[in-house]
C-alpha cells in the first residue's frame, strides 16, 4: 500500500500517527490529524478489517490518552479479546482497561470471555484476564468470576498467584460478602517463599480484615504465626540482590507485614503478645542510617502504638521517635512529631523524657516542624512543668519569626490561662507576652487579663506599676497599650503613691503629670485605632477626678478631639469636656473606680462565645441567613433583626407607640442611625469598635462627619426641621405620629407634593402616584435641589423601610447637583405597603455627597407621608 497517497489509512503504523501528531504546530492541526485518523479507523471498523484491528486499537488508545473521544472503538476491544492469539488479546485487554470502566453497560458482554480466559491453559492469557478483572471489575462481575479467581490462588505458578491475590482485593472491595470465600486461601498462602506472592497475599489479608469481622477473627487465629515467621525470615535473611534496597531486604514486605500485624493486634491482647518479640527484634536490629530502614522503624513504632504492647516496648518505640527528632532530614523529624502526638494518649511519661529535644524543634528553621512541635509542647504541659516550659517559650518569643509569633503567642496565652495556679505568676507571664508580642494577642485574652486584675485588689498596684514600666519601654504593642491605659485610668493613684507594694518590687517615682503624659502619648501614637483612643479618653477623664491638679490639662487634651471625624470620639470628647467643665459636683461619684467584674460570669460568657464562634466558622452562614456576628473583641452578637425590621419596633398586631427607643449602645436601630453609639451612663466602659452589619448595609457607621454646622434632621411635618448639633446623642422617634388609628381616606384621591427633607444644604420633595385598583402600591418621584452656591458631587440617596414595606430604588438622574437651585436630581421610588390600611408609610433616609472633595452626610426620618398612602 502506498501510504504517501493516504497517510491516514487504517494501515498507517502507530509510530507514523504519533509522528504526525507531534509535528502539528497548533492545536487545530493536531485536531485535524486526529479527526482524519479517527475517520480512517471508523471506516476500517465498518469494513470489518481484521488485518489491522489490533493496530487500530493501539492508535485509539493513544488518541484516548490525548483526551479525544474513542467510544466508537469499544466493541473492537471485545472482538480482540475474543480472538485466539495472545497479541490480539493483549491489545484487547489493554484497550478494555483504558477505554472502558465498570459503569459501562457494554462491559457485561466481556464476562464470558474473561471466564474462558481465566480457565485457559496459557498462563500468560490467564494473567491478562486477571489484570483486566483487577482493574475494571464491577460487583456483578465479581460475583460471577469469584470462584475462578479463588481457584487460581491455588495454582503453582507464582505470577498467577500474585495476580489472583491482587484481583481478589478488587473483588472483596466490590462485594465484601465474598470475603469469607478467600479467608482460607489467603491464610495458606502466607507459607509461600516468593516475595511477590507474599506481599500480595498480605495486602489481601489486610483488605479481608477491613471487610469482615469474621475474617478478622479467622486471621487472628490462623495467620499470626505465619506473619511472625515471614518477618523473622526477612529480617534475618542474607543479602538477596533481587530484594535488596540500601542494605535492607525487601522493606516493602516489612512494611506490609507490620501494617497487617497492627490491624490484627489492635484491641486483642493475645495476638499482641505473639508479635511483641518480633517487633522488639525489628526495632533493635533495623539500621536507621538509611531511608528504607527509617521507613521500617516508623511503621514498627506505629504498630507498637496501635496494639496492646507492653510498656517496655512502647518506651522503646518512643525512644526511636526521639532519635528521629535528631535526624537532619526534615521529613523524618516531622513524622516523628506527628507520631509523638499520637503517643501522648498512650504513654505521656515516655514522651516527657524527650521534652528538651521537642523544645529545640520549636526553634527549627522549617515552619512546618515549628508548628507541629509547638502543638506537641502544648500537649506536654502539665502542672509540674508549666513554669519551665513557659519560660522557654517566652524566651524564644523574643527572637522568633513574625510569621510564627501569632501561633506561639496564642499557645503561651492558652498555657498560662489553663495551668496558672498563682495569680502573680500569671500576671508576670502575660505582661511579658504583651510587651513582646502584644500586637498578636487576641482581644478575649487581654479582656480576661483585665477581669483578673479587677478581681485581685492585692495585685492592682503591682499591675499598674508593671504595665506603666512596660509602656515606657515598649509602647508599640497595641494590646499592652490598651491594658496599661485601662489600669492607669482605674488605679492611677496607686501608681503615683506606690500603694500595695509587694516584696519583690522596687519603688518607682511617677508624678501625676507623668501619668497623664503616658496617656497623651498613647492617644497621639494610636491616632488610627478608635478603640485605643476611646480608652485613652476614658482613662484621662478618670484621672481628672483622681488628679484634680491636672484637670485643666486633661480638659485641653480631651477638647482636641471635639472636631474629630470619627463620631464616637467626637461624642466622647464633647461629653467628657462637659463633665469636666460643668459637672464638678457629680464628677467624683460618676468617675469612681469600676466595680469588681464578675470573673465567673465572664468566663462562662467567653466559653459560650468561643463555641458560637467555632459554630459560625464551621457553618459560615451569610448575614441574611441570620448567623451570629463576630465582632473585633472576640464576642459574638446575637443575630440582628433583618433590615426590614428597622422601623417595626412592635409586633404586627400591637399598636404603634411613639415612645423613644432605648439608648443602649448595642441597639441595632441606633447603630443604623449612627447615634447613641456609646453608653454614656458608664464613662469607664470600653468603647465598641464593631460595625454592625446593618451599618454595613447602608454604609453607615464610623463615617467621616463634616466639621461645619452639618446637623442631623428630624422631620416631623412639612417644613419643620429639628437640628441637633454634631456629636450630641439624640434618639429620634421614628414612629412619631404613625398611629394606626389614623383615618384612611379614599386611595384614589389626589396626593399633594410634600417637602420630605430640608436642611441648610438640600431640599427634597416627593410627588406621589398610584395605580387604580392597587392601593398598596405607590410610585414616588423624589426631586433634590441644592440650596448652596457650591456644586455637590458624588450625590447618593439611600433609604430604609419597615419589614411590611417593599422598596425599590431606581437609579438617580445624575450624581452632580448644580448650585443655587439651577437644576435638580430626580429619582423614582416604588413602595408596596403590605399592611395598607393598618400601618402608614415610614422611611429612614441617608444622603451623601462631596463639597469641594470633602465628604458630607445628611440623614433623617420621614414621617409626614399622607395617611392615605
Amino acid at each position: 500500500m502506498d501510504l504517501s497517497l493516504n497517510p491516514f489509512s487504517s494501515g498507517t503504523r502507530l509510530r507514523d500517527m504519533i509522528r504526525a501528531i507531534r509535528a502539528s504546530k497548533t492545536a487545530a492541526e493536531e485536531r485535524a490529524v486526529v479527526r482524519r485518523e479517527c475517520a480512517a479507523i471508523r471506516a476500517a471498523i465498518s469494513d470489518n478489517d481484521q488485518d489491522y484491528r489490533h493496530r487500530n486499537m493501539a492508535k485509539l488508545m493513544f488518541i484516548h490518552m490525548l483526551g479525544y473521544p474513542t467510544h466508537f472503538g469499544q466493541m473492537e476491544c471485545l472482538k480482540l479479546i475474543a480472538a485466539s492469539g495472545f497479541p490480539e488479546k493483549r491489545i484487547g485487554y489493554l484497550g478494555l482497561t483504558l477505554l472502558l470502566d465498570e459503569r459501562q453497560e457494554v462491559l457485561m458482554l466481556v464476562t464470558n470471555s474473561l471466564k474462558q480466559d481465566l480457565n485457559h491453559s496459557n498462563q500468560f492469557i490467564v494473567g491478562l484476564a486477571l489484570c483486566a478483572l483487577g482493574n475494571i471489575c464491577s460487583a456483578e462481575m465479581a460475583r460471577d468470576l469469584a470462584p475462578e479467581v479463588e481457584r487460581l490462588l491455588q495454582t503453582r505458578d507464582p505470577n498467577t498467584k500474585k495476580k489472583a491475590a491482587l484481583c481478589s482485593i478488587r473483588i472483596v472491595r466490590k462485594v465484601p460478602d465474598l470475603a469469607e470465600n478467600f479467608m482460607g486461601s489467603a491464610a495458606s498462602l502466607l507459607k509461600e517463599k516468593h516475595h511477590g506472592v507474599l506481599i500480595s497475599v498480605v495486602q489481601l489479608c489486610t483488605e479481608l480484615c477491613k471487610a469482615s469481622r469474621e475474617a478478622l477473627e479467622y486471621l487472628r487465629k490462623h495467620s499470626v504465626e505465619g506473619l511472625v515467621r515471614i518477618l523473622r525470615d526477612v529480617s534475618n535473611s542474607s543479602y538477596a540482590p533481587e530484594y535488596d534496597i540500601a542494605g535492607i531486604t525487601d522493606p516493602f514486605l516489612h512494611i506490609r507485614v507490620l501494617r497487617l500485624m497492627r490491624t490484627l493486634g489492635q484491641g486483642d491482647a493475645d495476638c499482641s503478645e505473639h508479635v511483641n518479640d518480633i517487633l522488639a527484634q525489628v526495632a533493635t536490629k533495623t539500621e536507621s542510617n538509611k531511608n528504607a530502614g527509617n521507613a521500617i522503624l516508623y511503621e514498627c513504632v506505629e504498630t507498637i502504638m496501635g496494639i496492646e504492647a507492653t510498656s517496655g516496648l512502647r518506651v522503646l518505640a518512643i525512644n526511636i521517635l526521639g532519635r528521629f527528632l535528631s535526624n537532619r532530614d526534615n521529613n523524618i523529624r516531622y513524622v516523628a512529631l506527628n507520631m509523638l502526638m499520637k503517643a501522648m494518649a498512650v504513654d505521656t511519661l515516655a514522651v516527657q523524657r524527650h521534652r528538651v529535644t521537642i523544645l529545640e524543634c520549636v526553634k527549627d528553621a522549617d515552619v512546618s516542624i515549628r508548628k507541629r512541635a509547638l502543638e506537641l509542647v502544648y500537649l506536654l504541659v502539665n502542672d509540674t512543668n508549666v513554669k519551665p516550659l513557659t519560660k522557654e517559650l517566652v524566651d524564644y518569643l523574643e527572637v522568633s519569626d513574625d510569621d510564627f509569633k501569632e501561633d506561639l503567642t496564642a499557645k503561651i496565652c492558652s498555657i498560662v490561662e489553663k495551668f496558672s495556679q498563682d495569680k502573680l505568676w500569671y500576671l508576670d507571664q502575660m505582661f511579658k507576652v504583651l510587651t513582646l508580642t502584644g500586637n498578636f494577642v487576641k482581644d478575649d485574652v487581654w479582656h480576661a487579663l483585665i477581669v483578673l486584675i479587677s478581681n485581685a485588689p492585692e495585685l492592682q498596684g503591682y499591675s499598674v506599676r508593671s504595665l506603666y514600666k512596660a509602656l515606657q519601654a515598649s509602647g508599640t504593642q497595641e494590646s499592652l497599650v490598651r491594658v496599661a491605659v485601662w489600669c492607669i485610668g482605674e488605679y492611677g493613684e496607686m501608681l503615683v503613691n506606690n500603694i500595695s507594694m509587694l516584696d519583690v518590687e522596687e519603688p518607682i517615682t511617677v508624678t501625676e503629670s507623668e501619668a497623664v503624659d503616658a496617656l497623651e502619648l498613647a492617644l497621639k501614637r494610636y491616632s488610627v485605632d478608635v478603640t485605643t483612643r476611646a480608652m485613652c479618653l476614658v482613662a484621662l477623664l478618670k484621672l481628672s477626678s483622681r488628679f484634680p491638679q491636672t484637670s485643666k490639662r486633661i480638659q485641653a487634651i480631651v477638647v482636641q478631639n471635639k472636631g474629630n471625624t470619627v463620631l464616637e470620639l467626637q461624642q466622647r470628647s464633647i461629653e467628657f469636656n462637659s463633665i469636666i467643665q460643668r459637672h464638678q459636683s457629680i464628677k467624683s461619684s460618676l468617675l469612681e473606680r469600676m466595680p469588681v467584674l464578675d470573673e465567673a460570669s465572664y468566663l462562662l460568657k467567653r466559653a459560650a462565645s468561643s463555641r458560637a464562634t467555632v459554630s459560625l466558622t464551621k457553618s459560615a452562614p451569610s448575614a441574611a441567613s441570620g448567623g451570629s456576628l463576630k465582632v473585633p473583641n472576640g464576642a459574638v452578637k446575637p443575630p440582628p433583626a433583618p433590615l426590614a425590621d428597622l422601623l417595626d419596633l412592635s409586633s404586627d398586631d400591637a399598636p404603634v407607640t411613639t415612645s423613644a427607643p432605648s439608648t443602649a449602645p448595642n441597639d441595632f436601630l441606633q447603630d443604623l442611625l449612627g447615634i447613641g453609639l456609646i453608653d454614656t451612663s458608664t464613662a469607664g466602659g470600653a468603647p465598641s469598635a464593631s460595625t454592625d452589619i446593618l451599618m454595613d448595609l447602608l454604609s453607615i457607621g464610623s463615617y467621616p462627619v463634616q466639621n461645619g454646622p452639618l446637623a442631623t434632621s428630624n422631620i416631623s411635618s412639612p417644613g419643620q426641621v429639628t437640628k441637633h448639633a454634631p456629636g450630641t446623642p439624640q434618639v429620634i422617634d421614628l414612629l412619631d405620629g404613625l398611629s394606626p388609628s389614623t383615618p384612611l381616606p379614599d386611595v384614589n384621591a389626589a396626593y399633594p407634593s410634600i417637602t420630605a427633607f430640608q436642611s441648610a444644604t438640600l431640599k427634597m420633595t416627593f410627588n406621589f402616584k398610584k395605580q387604580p385598583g392597587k392601593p398598596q402600591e405607590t410610585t414616588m418621584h423624589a426631586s433634590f435641589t441644592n440650596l448652596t452656591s457650591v456644586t455637590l458631587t458624588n450625590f447618593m440617596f439611600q433609604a430604609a423601610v419597615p419589614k411590611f414595606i417593599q422598596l425599590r430604588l431606581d437609579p438617580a438622574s445624575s450624581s452632580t447637583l448644580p448650585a443655587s437651585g439651577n437644576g435638580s436630581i430626580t429619582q423614582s421610588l416604588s413602595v408596596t405597603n403590605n399592611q395598607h390600611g393598618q400601618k402608614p408609610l415610614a422611611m429612614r433616609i441617608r444622603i451623601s455627597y462631596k463639597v469641594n472633595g470633602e465628604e458630607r452626610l445628611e440623614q433623617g426620618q420621614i414621617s409626614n407621608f399622607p395617611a392615605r398612602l
Side-chain angles (χ1 to χ4, degrees):
M1 179 182 295
D2 187 4
L3 296 181
S4 61
L5 298 177
N6 185 9
F8 296 105
S9 67
S10 60
T12 307
R13 293 181 301 177
L14 174 63
R15 68 180 66 180
D16 295 330
M17 186 196 74
I18 295 174
R19 188 179 296 112
I21 290 175
R22 289 179 176 175
S24 302
K25 295 182 179 179
T26 64
E29 289 183 17
E30 178 185 299
R31 287 193 296 269
V33 172
V34 172
R35 190 161 49 246
R36 289 193 295 268
E37 188 63 53
C38 287
I41 294 174
R42 282 194 184 96
I45 292 173
S46 300
D47 297 339
N48 197 21
D49 184 356
Q50 298 183 13
D51 295 335
Y52 297 107
R53 180 174 285 161
H54 65 287
R55 181 180 291 179
N56 289 338
M57 183 53 57
K59 289 190 284 188
L60 272 180
M61 285 188 283
F62 185 81
I63 292 171
H64 173 78
M65 288 188 289
L66 292 177
Y68 295 96
T70 55
H71 55 276
F72 59 88
Q74 292 175 351
M75 292 303 297
E76 293 296 290
C77 294
L78 274 60
K79 293 177 182 178
L80 285 170
I81 291 171
S84 58
F86 176 78
E88 289 80 6
K89 284 183 178 290
R90 182 176 60 178
I91 292 293
Y93 278 122
L94 184 58
L96 183 73
T97 56
L98 279 177
L99 305 184
L100 284 82
D101 57 44
E102 61 181 278
R103 293 168 296 181
Q104 302 285 344
E105 294 182 2
V106 71
L107 195 62
M108 297 301 299
L109 301 176
V110 81
T111 303
N112 190 51
S113 296
L114 280 169
K115 191 168 186 176
Q116 292 178 359
D117 288 342
L118 289 174
N119 292 296
H120 203 280
S121 58
N122 187 331
Q123 63 176 357
F124 299 107
I125 292 178
V126 173
L128 289 176
L130 286 171
C131 288
L133 187 61
N135 278 285
I136 61 169
C137 174
S138 62
E140 292 78 8
M141 294 174 67
R143 291 188 179 93
D144 293 338
L145 301 176
E148 279 70 21
V149 176
E150 183 184 354
R151 179 184 56 79
L152 290 173
L153 286 171
Q154 307 301 328
T155 59
R156 293 184 177 181
D157 181 57
N159 287 323
T160 303
K161 288 181 183 179
K162 177 178 65 175
K163 292 179 181 181
L166 293 174
C167 185
S168 302
I169 295 173
R170 171 86 177 195
I171 292 174
V172 171
R173 287 176 180 171
K174 289 297 175 184
V175 188
D177 294 341
L178 295 175
E180 59 184 19
N181 297 351
F182 297 94
M183 294 186 306
S185 300
S188 63
L189 284 175
L190 291 175
K191 300 175 183 178
E192 286 284 331
K193 299 295 183 181
H194 191 279
H195 284 209
V197 176
L198 285 176
I199 197 169
S200 302
V201 171
V202 168
Q203 199 167 348
L204 173 59
C205 291
T206 305
E207 200 64 37
L208 290 172
C209 294
K210 295 177 183 177
S212 169
R213 180 72 185 179
E214 182 183 350
L216 175 62
E217 296 298 332
Y218 178 87
L219 291 173
R220 279 174 174 169
K221 294 178 181 178
H222 298 89
S223 66
V224 173
E225 291 183 1
L227 292 174
V228 171
R229 179 189 56 79
I230 293 171
L231 202 54
R232 183 177 293 111
D233 291 347
V234 175
S235 299
N236 297 330
S237 65
S238 57
Y239 174 73
E242 65 269 28
Y243 302 125
D244 184 82
I245 297 178
I248 306 294
T249 302
D250 204 345
F252 298 104
L253 182 58
H254 270 96
I255 291 171
R256 288 292 181 184
V257 172
L258 288 169
R259 286 181 182 174
L260 180 55
M261 283 183 174
R262 180 165 72 250
T263 302
L264 296 174
Q266 191 170 11
D268 189 291
D270 293 336
C271 182
S272 300
E273 185 178 355
H274 279 90
V275 301
N276 276 340
D277 291 342
I278 188 62
L279 290 176
Q281 179 181 337
V282 172
T284 53
K285 290 187 64 176
T286 305
E287 298 180 5
S288 60
N289 57 348
K290 300 291 184 181
N291 205 39
N294 287 326
I296 295 173
L297 287 174
Y298 175 78
E299 203 66 44
C300 184
V301 169
E302 196 163 7
T303 300
I304 292 170
M305 292 301 171
I307 67 173
E308 306 298 319
T310 61
S311 59
L313 195 57
R314 287 176 178 166
V315 171
L316 174 62
I318 293 174
N319 289 340
I320 292 173
L321 296 176
R323 293 205 309 270
F324 279 2
L325 292 179
S326 302
N327 199 297
R328 290 180 296 178
D329 191 317
N330 288 347
N331 294 323
I332 293 175
R333 280 184 290 166
Y334 186 81
V335 296
L337 290 169
N338 272 339
M339 196 63 221
L340 284 171
M341 291 182 69
K342 297 178 184 178
M344 284 295 297
V346 179
D347 195 338
T348 305
L349 291 177
V351 180
Q352 288 281 3
R353 297 190 185 102
H354 303 279
R355 190 172 64 218
V356 176
T357 309
I358 296 169
L359 271 172
E360 288 301 316
C361 289
V362 176
K363 306 171 185 178
D364 195 89
D366 189 285
V367 63
S368 300
I369 293 176
R370 286 204 304 264
K371 290 186 176 182
R372 189 62 69 195
L374 182 60
E375 293 175 8
L376 181 54
V377 169
Y378 183 76
L379 295 177
L380 287 172
V381 176
N382 54 37
D383 293 332
T384 58
N385 63 19
V386 60
K387 291 188 177 180
L389 279 179
T390 304
K391 182 180 182 304
E392 291 283 347
L393 293 177
V394 171
D395 289 344
Y396 178 62
L397 190 61
E398 188 172 2
V399 296
S400 62
D401 298 337
D402 288 342
D403 294 339
F404 189 54
K405 281 183 178 178
E406 183 175 359
D407 293 334
L408 187 55
T409 300
K411 290 297 184 185
I412 293 174
C413 293
S414 180
I415 290 171
V416 172
E417 289 183 2
K418 186 176 180 181
F419 294 99
S420 65
Q421 299 175 351
D422 180 4
K423 289 185 177 180
L424 180 60
W425 179 80
Y426 170 86
L427 291 175
D428 286 338
Q429 303 311 310
M430 291 306 300
F431 293 162
K432 289 178 183 177
V433 172
L434 288 174
T435 303
L436 294 173
T437 55
N439 292 331
F440 298 99
V441 174
K442 304 292 185 183
D443 286 352
D444 59 332
V445 174
W446 64 265
H447 291 173
L449 177 60
I450 287 178
V451 172
L452 184 137
I453 294 173
S454 173
N455 282 269
E458 72 282 2
L459 297 175
Q460 288 169 353
Y462 173 78
S463 298
V464 70
R465 286 186 289 273
S466 299
L467 287 167
Y468 177 81
K469 289 186 287 186
L471 188 62
Q472 297 298 312
S474 176
T476 58
Q477 304 297 331
E478 184 179 271
S479 297
L480 170 66
V481 174
R482 291 180 179 179
V483 178
V485 163
W486 186 88
C487 286
I488 292 172
E490 291 295 320
Y491 316 116
E493 69 280 8
M494 291 185 170
L495 172 65
V496 172
N497 300 321
N498 284 326
I499 299 174
S500 300
M501 289 284 294
L502 300 182
D503 295 338
V504 296
E505 282 189 274
E506 294 182 2
I508 61 173
T509 303
V510 180
T511 63
E512 295 179 356
S513 178
E514 289 173 341
V516 175
D517 288 341
L519 297 182
E520 184 180 13
L521 181 61
L523 186 63
K524 292 179 179 179
R525 178 174 290 167
Y526 288 87
S527 58
V528 177
D529 183 24
V530 178
T531 301
T532 304
R533 297 192 69 189
M535 293 181 72
C536 290
L537 289 175
V538 175
L540 286 168
L541 178 65
K542 291 204 168 190
L543 289 188
S544 70
S545 176
R546 288 154 175 69
F547 305 152
Q549 301 297 327
T550 63
S551 182
K552 291 293 184 182
R553 180 187 172 195
I554 290 174
Q555 182 180 359
I557 298 172
V558 170
V559 168
Q560 292 175 4
N561 288 276
K562 193 173 182 179
N564 199 295
T565 56
V566 179
L567 182 60
E568 184 172 346
L569 297 178
Q570 181 187 113
Q571 181 174 339
R572 285 176 185 258
S573 177
I574 293 171
E575 292 176 352
F576 293 175
N577 180 53
S578 178
I579 292 172
I580 296 173
Q581 188 173 1
R582 303 177 185 176
H583 302 286
Q584 294 292 334
S585 58
I586 65 170
K587 184 170 72 169
S588 58
S589 58
L590 180 65
L591 302 178
E592 287 181 354
R593 187 175 296 171
M594 182 179 289
V596 175
L597 302 172
D598 190 344
E599 189 171 7
S601 299
Y602 173 78
L603 292 176
L604 288 174
K605 180 180 178 182
R606 183 182 177 191
S609 298
S610 299
R611 288 193 295 270
T613 303
V614 170
S615 175
L616 175 68
T617 303
K618 290 180 179 178
S619 58
S622 63
S625 64
S628 299
L629 300 176
K630 289 198 293 183
V631 293
N633 64 357
V636 175
K637 284 189 178 181
L643 180 60
D645 283 339
L646 293 179
L647 305 180
D648 191 24
L649 302 183
S650 60
S651 60
D652 290 346
D653 56 351
V656 179
T657 64
T658 58
S659 60
S662 168
T663 59
N666 290 328
D667 189 284
F668 299 121
L669 181 61
Q670 295 184 42
D671 283 348
L672 176 68
L673 303 180
I675 57 177
L677 292 177
I678 46 177
D679 188 356
T680 57
S681 62
T682 307
S688 170
S690 64
T691 301
D692 193 273
I693 189 168
L694 298 178
M695 298 162 65
D696 288 341
L697 289 176
L698 295 182
S699 301
I700 301 175
S702 54
Y703 195 93
V705 181
Q706 66 184 39
N707 295 327
L710 175 62
T712 302
S713 304
N714 179 15
I715 301 91
S716 57
S717 62
Q720 179 181 352
V721 181
T722 304
K723 297 292 186 71
H724 301 295
T728 306
Q730 297 290 337
V731 179
I732 301 173
D733 185 3
L734 295 176
L735 303 179
D736 186 22
L738 301 184
S739 171
S741 61
T742 304
L744 301 172
D746 181 11
V747 297
N748 294 316
Y751 299 98
S753 299
I754 66 169
T755 301
F757 177 86
Q758 184 169 348
S759 66
T761 307
L762 283 171
K763 178 180 179 182
M764 180 177 72
T765 59
F766 274 163
N767 293 316
F768 307 98
K769 183 179 180 181
K770 278 188 174 289
Q771 294 292 334
K774 297 181 179 179
Q776 72 275 15
E777 297 182 7
T778 305
T779 301
M780 304 181 189
H781 296 282
S783 179
F784 304 91
T785 305
N786 184 357
L787 304 180
T788 67
S789 59
V790 181
T791 300
L792 307 182
T793 59
N794 289 28
F795 185 90
M796 181 183 292
F797 168 73
Q798 293 174 300
V801 293
K803 68 178 182 181
F804 59 86
I805 296 176
Q806 295 177 353
L807 170 65
R808 181 173 64 84
L809 277 173
D810 293 336
S813 60
S814 175
S815 61
T816 302
L817 189 57
S820 304
N822 293 327
S824 63
I825 293 177
T826 58
Q827 190 166 2
S828 297
L829 302 82
S830 298
V831 295
T832 302
N833 187 350
N834 294 321
Q835 296 190 20
H836 184 267
Q838 302 177 28
K839 291 186 177 182
L841 293 181
M843 185 180 294
R844 182 69 195 165
I845 65 169
R846 197 202 83 166
I847 303 171
S848 62
Y849 51 87
K850 286 186 177 182
V851 179
N852 296 326
E854 180 183 358
E855 292 200 19
R856 301 289 182 90
L857 170 69
E858 298 195 30
Q859 56 190 14
Q861 168 244 335
I862 305 175
S863 57
N864 60 325
F865 290 108
R868 299 186 301 276
L869 297 179

